[in-house]
Amino acid sequence: MTVSFIHTADWQLGRTFGQAGDEARGALHKQRFATVERLGTLAADRRADAVLVAGDVFDMVAPSDRTVLRAIAAMESFIGPWVLLPGNHDPALAEGVWARLRRLGAPANVMVAAEPEPILLAEGRLVVLPAPLRRKNETGDLTGWFDIAPSSPGAMRVGLAHGSIPSRLPEDADARNPIAEDRAARAKLDYLALGDWHGTLRIDARSWYSGTPEPDRAKGNDPGNVLFVRIEHPGDLPEVEAVPVGHYRWHDLDAVVHGSDDVWALAERLRGLGNPLNRHVVELSLQGTLDLARRTDLAGVLEDLSARLCDLRVDDASLIAEPSDDDLQAIGRGGFVGHAVDCLREQATGRNSEQAATARLALQILYLESVRGGA
Amino acid sequence: MTMRIRRIRIESFRKLAGPVELEGFGNGLTVIAGDNEDGKSTVLEAIRAALFCRHAAKSEYTNSLAPFGTAGARPRVELDFALGDAAYRLRKAFCRKHEAVLVAPGRTFEGEAAEEELCRIFGFPPAKTGRAPKAEEQGVWGLFWVEQGTTFVCERKIGDAGRSTLIGALEDEMGRVLGGEAGRAVIERIRHRCEELFTLTNNVARGDLKLCRERRGEVEKRVEVLEKQAANLREKLTELEGWRAERLQLEREQRLAHAQQTLREVRAEHDRIEVLRRRVLDARHEQQLEHAKLDAAREPWQQRQKLILAAQGAAEASIRVSAELDRARQNHVPLREQLKAADAGVESAKVRYAQAEAAFAAADEALRRSRANANLAAAAEALAKTEAAGAAAVAARAEAAGIAVDDAMMDDLRKLAARTAEARARLDAAETVLEFAPEPGRAVFLGEQAVDPAAPLRITSEITLRLEGFGLLTIRPGGEDLDERQRQAEAATEARDCLLARLGVADMMGAAAAHAQRRERLAAADAEARTVSACAPDGIDALRARVRVFRQELADLAVRDPSPPQDLEAASALLRTAQVERDAARRALTEDQQQRDQITAAWSAADRALIELQARKDAAAQLAVDREQELARARAAAADAALSEVMKTQETNVANAALLLRQAQAELGGADPAAAANRLEAATKALEEVQAKLMQMHEAIRDLESELRTLGQLGVEEELDQARGDLDRARRQAAAIEARAAALRLLHDTLRATEAEARQSFAAPIATRMAPYLSDLFSGSELEFAPDTLQLRLLRRRGIEEPLASLSVGAREQLAVLTRLAFAELLLDRGQPAALILDDALVYSDRKRLRQMQKVLLRAAERLQILVLTCREDDYAGLAPVLRLTERTAAPDPSLELGRTLS
């Protein structure tokens, strides 16, 4: 009677990662399909009865045909049933992606749970109760009907929903498309497969967010997994195993640099993220004050790492570069140049932050030109 | 360190075949005087060549140093000068057997070493070639030769070396380093970096900046377009949802079916009302028919009434006319009688009138006779008068003619008398007066006459007097023209008397009397003539004729009535009476006639009336008869009562019909047809709307579905997502490069500004030095130097900037000199050697300015040596020692001779 399935969600296929560098973009975009293929392979390997996708299969209401075709291709890795639930990114609209999915040749084992009606799988041993989204934001709890949905006594009742549990999610999460916290109990579900939260998260013994199988943002909340769920008999507690399938790792780092040591420490830290470095995506926030020489060093370090990592995005708005005496010496204290440097330094501490920033940058340039002699 | 030239010796140098020796230079101002063509400029050139020209050089320049037209010459210059305490002697020879010897304290330098030492002492770079030493190559020294004709070109270039010397002096003063090569290089590199991104002149973006901006713009546009498309897509999806929902709603509410049902109901009601309406129409139709019939019945009855009235009328008229006729007949008779009477009256009146006429005629004739008589009497009287007067006039005239003294004569007479008197007077005037006073008993005799001794005797001509007891005394009165006057008086008297005689009068008084009488006679004749005219205005003949005519008339009238004519008055009175009576008789006649006419007229009228009335009476009678007959005929056809009956019946019918109509209308009104019509219209419209709506929905849904299929395939949202990411990056890139551009611009501007500031600050010391001199010659002004070339650029006087070119030549001269003075002092302060040589440098300055400049020079000469070469010796007389070129000669240098012989 055992039923096992893969619970996943939030594939966000078609997302373009515009913020990332040129090369990274393509790679990140493509990887998502590869990860789907991988989880399909996992399902096949583990002989799962189904793959349940709890919403946001596609990142937008109208992805390109190419994206849809690729999705179909990726799902060929598992011939068992795929149950795709329309989420808030890809709601079941009148003439939306789901209609196209069929037209573009999705095979019969790929099912779209566009209606709130039970789906029987695994020769009736598994009943999936979907709560599809018809529009981006539903104000009511679409899982309500689970409570009264009938199913045969020997079948596992598994709910499939996309939304947020207002009381359970961390504070900064969106609270729309609400789902009752105790839906699993009320509807007598054996398992409630949730989607929308991108990190793997246990709500209770029977209610889980699988998270996205391939991370798509730096904020860490344990993404990159699928959940392999086994239930022996109806009513038993499910065994839930988180299986990492994601390829890339995303990091959101803050660093404070005040001198040469800090610079090198940062370099080490970045290098130590993992091997190979090109599987890591880093968003780095810098703070601190450096002299011009160190700033140049830092620039060098970051450039080096940028080439090694998959993608490195640096926010250095809070990083101040100020010339030290040595810097000034290098620039040359002589005559009008020195006078110019004094002027710029004064401006760099002025109240108008934009002008001050321009002055600081001017000093940096002057430093580089003087030191490098015009590189 | 002071530099003082002590002695110059020049030989075989250009104009100066020489040798020319100048010595005795003062420490301060020294004047070297010489006329033009004496070679002052040559002296300057010699010093220059000695210091700066390489002795060994063979060039056009060195060749030119030789005096003109001599080949194989050996230009030679000796220069003794002191730098501070050190005394130097320089000897240089060019061209043939060139040499250079510098004797310094403690050392002597020869050849190249001498040249090098000179360079070192004076701080100028070694000349590269043997060309004419250019100002730039003379280092700052170029400044200190202020030559004739070049003064006012204050644009002497200072070469870098010169500038660095000067700047070196200034550096210490300001304590700043200009930065030299390194600084310039930095600016240059920064400029280059700027130009990579934008043009410095007008900030036009280029290179990466331009590209990034363009890219950003492009991506922004792209995002905009995609956003629109995505929005469009979403809109369409939403629209489709909307339509579908609406259609569903419609179906659920079964609006179509309801609308149809409603229509059916309303239509049924509408039909019912139609029936009622029809009924009303019919009733109205009936009513109209009955009305028509009633009108038809009314007419004959009305005709009958008319007929009855007409017959009655005719009968009455006939009777009236008969009565009238009778009355007229009665009036006719008396009129005839009246007429007769009137005729008689008229006749008698006529008779009376004839009588009166006759009486009048008789009276008239009597009057005429009286008149004629009177006329005759008057005319005869007039005639008599006339004749008498005529005769009198003739007589008077004859008398007058007899008097000769007429007006003209009288005039002549008077004139003559006057002349006489005048002549006499004149004579008397010239007369001699003798007054006698004889002794008693003695008398005076003129001829035989004794002269009255009491009265003075007037004599005008010679007279002889006998004086008793004496004898004769002849006196011849003198006087100018006494004789003449005497003659004249006598002549005049004679003339007068002659005329008097001719006229027949004794004297003047007689003449006057005769003249008066003549006059009087003539006047009398005139009076008589007037009388004639009065009595017989037409002339006496006419008067006579008239008398004859009157007489005749009277005679004719007397035939008819021989009785004597009456008095005119009485006759007139009689006539008047007769006239009055006649007029009265005529009036009476006229009245009677009028009266008779009236009666005649009345009688005729009455006659006519009778006839007319008779005719009318006949007509009226006939008419009455006709009418009666007509009426009888009509009544025979249909009795009065019958007609009346028919009409009444029809009236009843009409009333009934009206009643029916009202009933039908009431029924219809109760049904409210207007509202029912509205409801039908509304229901029809409603159904149409529903149908149209369904159609519209159907079409909209179909269209949208097909459109969305197409749109969906484009993958707009994916592209938009990508584009947004691109935009974010493009913006960041653009921002970064903009920031860099801004920083570069700031850096560039700052560097330039500081550089300019630094340069500008060099000019300050110079200006400071010149200030006191300026206040002498250009009070209230300041100078501005171009910072990069340190050349004088403009003068600022009272706030107004004057470029050099606009100053007068004299002013520019002065400024040139003052500037050099300032530079020289600056160098002196720094321990560098300086001296000033002015070659006719102030030729354009006026006397006053010249004096001022000379004061300045004198003051400056306290610190440095100033040599003034001039052709105007007098200008500088008394100011400084004067060395005259023409006086300076010296014995030929033996060494020179040796040199010549040896070569």
Side-chain angles (χ1 to χ4, degrees), chain A residues 26-37:
Chain A
L28 293 168
H29 173 91
K30 272 182 71 173
Q31 184 55 46
R32 307 200 74 75
F33 298 100
T35 303
V36 166
E37 201 179 319

Side-chain angles (χ1 to χ4, degrees), chain B residues 625-669:
Chain B
V625 167
D626 287 343
R627 288 275 151 82
E628 273 300 322
Q629 283 179 348
E630 211 180 323
L631 184 59
R633 274 201 304 277
R635 278 193 176 135
D640 290 352
L643 288 180
S644 171
E645 196 56 46
V646 167
M647 199 180 68
K648 281 205 179 50
T649 312
Q650 197 52 37
E651 276 172 359
T652 314
N653 286 347
V654 163
N656 286 342
L659 187 61
L660 280 173
L661 176 63
R662 274 197 296 281
Q663 281 172 347
Q665 278 172 334
E667 257 190 78
L668 180 63

Side-chain angles (χ1 to χ4, degrees), chain A residues 19 22 25 61 67 335 369, chain B residues 177 193 717-718 726 728-729:
Chain A
Q19 307 258 9
D22 283 328
R25 256 195 249 178
V61 162
T67 298
E369 290 299 333
Chain B
V177 170
R193 292 270 168 267
E717 288 201 304
E718 222 173 290
D726 283 341
D728 190 52
R729 278 203 326 154

Side-chain angles (χ1 to χ4, degrees), chain A residues 21-373:
Chain A
D22 283 328
E23 291 170 20
R25 256 195 249 178
L28 293 168
H29 173 91
K30 272 182 71 173
Q31 184 55 46
R32 307 200 74 75
F33 298 100
T35 303
V36 166
E37 201 179 319
R38 185 185 288 182
L39 71 87
T41 308
L42 177 68
D45 290 344
R46 302 250 188 135
R47 302 219 198 300
D49 290 306
V51 173
L52 304 182
V53 189
D56 284 357
V57 171
F58 296 103
D59 193 44
M60 62 271 297
V61 162
S64 64
D65 278 357
R66 199 172 161 71
T67 298
V68 176
L69 287 167
R70 276 179 147 162
I72 295 170
M75 286 188 275
E76 283 167 5
S77 57
F78 175 63
I79 55 169
W82 298 75
V83 179
L84 310 176
L85 179 75
N88 63 307
H89 278 255
D90 54 357
L93 295 177
E95 181 57 43
V97 62
W98 303 111
R100 276 201 288 144
L101 188 67
R102 196 60 61 201
R103 275 205 302 275
L104 286 170
N109 64 319
V110 171
M111 293 174 228
V112 178
E115 302 293 329
E117 286 163 3
I119 299 175
L120 271 59
L121 299 173
E123 292 114 22
R125 287 177 292 137
L126 174 59
V127 169
V128 175
L129 306 176
L133 268 67
R134 295 296 175 85
R135 54 181 83 98
K136 245 179 134 42
N137 297 314
E138 298 279 359
T139 45
D141 186 343
L142 297 173
T143 61
W145 74 276
F146 291 176
D147 294 357
I148 53 168
S151 63
S152 71
M156 313 292 177
R157 281 166 72 88
V158 171
L160 186 62
H162 186 93
S164 52
I165 296 179
S167 56
R168 285 304 304 274
L169 291 174
E171 274 170 24
D172 58 350
D174 290 322
R176 44 172 171 69
N177 303 316
I179 296 170
E181 189 180 350
D182 54 353
R183 181 60 62 205
R186 279 164 49 174
K188 298 194 177 32
L189 302 174
D190 292 301
Y191 183 79
L192 177 57
L194 295 166
D196 196 33
W197 185 243
H198 283 214
T200 307
L201 182 64
R202 179 185 185 278
I203 300 296
D204 62 38
R206 295 183 189 278
S207 310
W208 284 75
Y209 282 95
S210 67
T212 179
E214 180 61 45
D216 63 342
R217 59 187 79 147
K219 297 250 180 290
N221 49 12
D222 194 19
N225 310 306
V226 295
L227 295 175
F228 182 72
V229 181
R230 254 173 77 97
I231 315 174
E232 294 271 348
H233 306 101
D236 287 355
L237 282 176
E239 290 165 30
V240 181
E241 180 195 348
V243 180
V245 295
H247 178 82
Y248 289 107
R249 291 198 57 193
W250 289 59
H251 307 272
D252 183 21
L253 302 179
D254 288 322
V256 178
V257 280
H258 283 303
S260 188
D261 294 340
D262 291 336
V263 170
W264 299 122
L266 175 62
E268 282 305 309
R269 188 170 157 204
L270 289 173
R271 287 208 192 92
L273 284 175
N275 223 351
L277 274 179
N278 64 11
R279 277 181 71 168
H280 295 264
V281 175
V282 175
E283 278 178 24
L284 176 63
S285 250
L286 289 173
Q287 271 184 356
T289 320
L290 291 176
D291 63 32
L292 301 184
R294 299 305 142 255
R295 185 67 186 82
T296 312
D297 290 341
L298 176 64
V301 159
L302 292 176
E303 198 164 321
D304 174 64
L305 277 158
S306 170
R308 292 166 196 275
L309 291 162
C310 172
D311 191 43
L312 170 63
R313 240 180 299 153
V314 181
D315 175 11
D316 59 359
S318 310
L319 182 65
I320 315 259
E322 277 190 356
S324 68
D325 285 338
D326 289 341
D327 292 334
L328 295 177
Q329 199 71 328
I331 294 172
R333 288 255 57 208
F336 71 91
V337 175
H339 189 33
V341 165
D342 291 340
C343 279
L344 290 171
R345 284 181 86 186
E346 199 181 312
Q347 280 188 45
T349 53
R351 267 195 289 189
N352 184 327
S353 61
E354 197 178 310
Q355 275 174 9
T358 306
R360 279 199 293 274
L361 186 53
L363 279 167
Q364 280 182 38
I365 295 171
L366 181 58
Y367 172 77
L368 285 171
E369 290 299 333
S370 305
V371 160
R372 296 194 198 166

